[in-house]
Amino acid sequence: MPVNNPKVLIVTRHFPPILNGPSVVLSRLVKHWPQNSISVFTRDFHESFESIDQEFMLDIHVVRCQWNKNLTRIDRIKDFVNIRRLVKCICNEAILRKSQVVLGVTDDGPFFISAYLAAKRLGIPLVIYMLDLYEEGRRSRLQKFFAKRYERRIFDYASAVLVMSERMQEHYKQKYGIESTVIPHPIDAEEIVDTVSVTKQEEIKDRPLQIVFTGHTTAAQYRSVEDLIKVVGE
């Protein structure tokens, strides 16, 4: 008998109330899941972190492990040294929650790798959610070393791959010959419309077009940036 709503354990370094892009994306994504079918394994919340708005605090089961703030080079090294401990904690939580699927979310630390190792140890399916290119997007030598060692293994084991854009989908098809599913970052269109009032639109309609971008780009976004520049130029 097929399982309609399998119990999913989301393993992610970033989750509310920590305020950053992945936290917001995941908080909106999980709203579409039956809340009794998911649980989250993430790092503990330090008061020194900037806190996300209370509207993103979700009524789901969240387990937080004590982990480094990743503020120094030594912290980042400790992250990877402690992978075995992290895998053990994830496995214990999956067994306790009777999880049937592990959902691993890309990050710059050990949580993504540990999600794969835990799922493999438990013999349950792994779904990976690519919020960025993994190997290509790592910046430090340590991150690149582990990403290069594990990326292919993770993709080979994964039962499904979720990506955020068609360009990323094309990238991984060319790189590994895999099929993936595009899930664009979830947004609430009403929030955007409400933010820019009619009065504000009248004030800015005669101004030159300006597009503000923050963050960094990787190979997955180069074509999109080029296309945007081309369209604006026309």
Side-chain angles (χ1 to χ4, degrees):
M1 183 175 179
V3 179
N4 294 324
N5 294 314
K7 290 189 175 183
V8 179
L9 177 62
I10 301 174
V11 178
T12 174
R13 186 184 185 90
H14 308 288
F15 199 74
I18 296 170
L19 176 58
N20 55 30
S23 288
V24 175
V25 169
L26 290 173
S27 67
R28 292 175 176 172
L29 182 67
V30 298
K31 289 179 181 179
H32 298 279
W33 255 309
Q35 290 189 351
N36 60 353
S37 69
I38 64 171
S39 54
V40 177
F41 185 96
T42 187
R43 61 176 168 168
D44 58 339
F45 170 66
H46 296 284
E47 294 299 327
S48 59
F49 288 147
E50 190 172 4
S51 179
I52 205 164
D53 292 339
Q54 288 298 313
E55 64 181 291
F56 291 104
M57 297 295 288
L58 306 170
D59 186 23
I60 61 175
H61 180 77
V62 179
V63 172
R64 299 185 183 277
C65 66
Q66 292 184 352
W67 208 251
N68 297 314
K69 296 182 183 180
N70 202 25
L71 300 178
T72 68
R73 189 173 186 180
I74 297 299
D75 284 341
R76 289 190 285 271
I77 293 173
K78 287 180 179 178
D79 269 1
F80 289 98
V81 170
N82 290 325
I83 278 183
R84 289 186 179 181
R85 178 172 67 86
L86 188 58
V87 171
K88 182 179 179 180
C89 292
I90 295 170
C91 287
N92 290 341
E93 181 61 21
I95 293 170
L96 179 65
R97 304 296 299 178
K98 298 181 180 179
S99 302
Q100 298 160 290
V101 178
V102 172
L103 173 64
V105 183
T106 49
D107 63 9
D108 55 2
F111 280 71
F112 184 56
I113 295 172
S114 297
Y116 151 69
L117 293 173
K120 187 175 181 181
R121 179 180 295 183
L122 294 169
I124 61 177
L126 171 71
V127 175
I128 54 177
Y129 189 13
M130 310 299 294
L131 297 182
D132 194 358
L133 292 182
Y134 188 52
E135 182 181 353
E136 294 82 355
R138 301 314 98 208
R139 285 167 286 180
S140 74
R141 278 189 240 175
L142 183 66
Q143 292 170 0
K144 287 181 180 295
F145 170 80
F146 278 94
K148 186 172 183 179
R149 181 178 181 184
Y150 278 100
E151 184 182 81
R152 183 59 190 255
R153 302 183 196 181
I154 294 173
F155 274 89
D156 285 345
Y157 184 80
S159 300
V161 178
L162 310 178
V163 296
M164 67 178 186
S165 69
E166 288 79 6
R167 177 64 180 129
M168 188 179 285
Q169 184 181 50
E170 179 185 336
H171 171 81
Y172 283 119
K173 186 170 185 177
Q174 291 179 351
K175 188 173 185 180
Y176 294 129
I178 64 165
E179 298 295 335
S180 57
T181 301
V182 176
I183 300 184
H185 286 348
I187 62 171
D188 187 341
E190 292 183 1
E191 290 181 10
I192 299 174
V193 173
D194 291 342
T195 301
V196 184
S197 64
V198 175
T199 304
K200 191 68 174 177
Q201 292 179 32
E202 289 296 323
E203 292 176 1
I204 65 176
K205 69 178 182 179
D206 296 326
R207 296 180 186 177
L209 175 64
Q210 292 183 334
I211 298 176
V212 179
F213 174 82
T214 62
H216 73 283
T217 59
T218 61
Q221 292 93 39
Y222 289 162
R223 182 181 297 179
S224 297
V225 174
E226 290 174 356
D227 291 342
L228 176 61
I229 296 172
K230 187 182 301 182
V231 170
V232 172
E234 295 175 352

